[in-house]
Amino acid sequence: MADSVTYYAIVRKGYPVERPAGMLRRTVHERGTRDEAINKDLQWRRTGLIVEWEARSFEHDLEVVTDDQAAHIIEDFRTRWSTPD
């Protein structure tokens, strides 16, 4: 079981926190930390983007969001990504 989960919205021009370009999460367990990004299949997969952002090597900003905000954003992704372009 996770000790804590922090969600991050990927924000950039045209993609505000309310409708971000992507979503990341950092899960901290007693055995370590796992960073993941949500993909278009709505599955979480490992990523190095949070570490890159912390090292100032990621080209976009991350903004911490609450669990409720994250749930809303993920539901928006579900709607956007299930609709063909």
Side-chain angles (χ1 to χ4, degrees):
M1 176 142 198
D3 293 331
S4 69
V5 178
T6 305
Y7 292 95
Y8 299 85
I10 300 173
V11 295
R12 63 182 194 221
K13 186 175 180 166
Y15 293 92
V17 70
E18 299 82 18
R19 196 168 164 90
M23 170 80 61
L24 308 173
R25 72 179 177 190
R26 172 169 278 170
T27 306
V28 178
H29 300 271
E30 60 184 49
R31 294 185 321 254
T33 300
R34 182 180 178 104
D35 293 343
E36 300 170 301
I38 196 165
N39 292 282
K40 287 195 172 193
D41 63 2
L42 299 174
Q43 299 297 310
W44 291 96
R45 293 198 176 79
R46 284 190 184 254
T47 185
L49 294 178
I50 297 172
V51 172
E52 288 181 28
W53 175 73
E54 290 172 331
R56 303 192 191 285
S57 300
F58 186 52
E59 63 184 297
H60 305 298
D61 273 332
L62 300 184
E63 188 167 325
V64 174
V65 295
T66 66
D67 292 354
D68 288 341
Q69 286 173 302
H72 177 76
I73 291 166
I74 292 166
E75 188 56 38
D76 181 58
F77 286 159
R78 183 182 321 279
T79 302
R80 278 196 274 167
W81 294 342
S82 68
T83 306
D85 292 332

